[in-house]
Amino acid sequence: MKKKLTTVAFQGTKEQEEKLLAVIEKHAGQRGAMMPILQEAQEIYGYLPIEVQTIIAEKTGVSMEEIFGIISFYAQFKLNPDGQYAIAVCLGTACYVKGSGDIIEAISQKLNVPVGSTSPDGKYSIEATRCIGACGLAPVLTVNGEVYGKITVDDVDTILAKYQ
């Protein structure tokens, strides 16, 4: 799935920026440093918004295009913050063949939030994930880490009702 940007306002703090600058300094001049810089930046902010990418580009001399290319290629990086309710639907093989593709689409439509993004109010985020290691419960989704297994599209309304 393609990563999408949403319009959730960036709310970084001066303290976070200072931590980011320290990370960049720590890796200055190291070959292959962009991956650890991005990983540590995501630990600081929880995701990698354009504002953070801009700081990294300016301080490292790496182009925004290259940084975005790395972020959009690796599934570990997030362009959007988790919502208050972070919904993740497994699209691994076992889950997918049992209908998780239809489940994630139903959630997306019900909440009017595109897969891979966060609602403008920050309440919901929806991510497609790969295997979470609960294949015996396929199809599986999680909400803030709480696992729901052996679900169907008909279960979506009941599950979402707990988070409204």
Side-chain angles (χ1 to χ4, degrees), residues 30-73:
Q30 291 178 2
R31 202 169 143 78
M34 191 52 61
M35 285 296 287
I37 289 172
L38 292 172
Q39 289 165 333
E40 291 179 52
Q42 183 163 285
E43 286 177 25
I44 293 166
Y45 291 93
Y47 70 118
L48 296 170
I50 193 74
E51 294 85 354
V52 171
Q53 294 175 51
T54 301
I55 294 168
I56 294 170
E58 289 172 355
K59 298 298 181 184
T60 63
V62 175
S63 72
M64 287 290 290
E65 293 82 5
E66 186 174 340
I67 291 170
F68 184 77
I70 294 167
I71 293 169
S72 61
F73 180 79

Side-chain angles (χ1 to χ4, degrees), residues 89-91 95-109 139 152-154 156:
V89 180
C90 178
L91 294 183
C95 288
Y96 191 79
V97 299
K98 292 189 175 187
S100 64
D102 294 333
I103 291 166
I104 198 167
E105 287 305 316
I107 293 169
S108 176
Q109 289 176 3
T152 67
V153 171
D154 294 336
V156 167

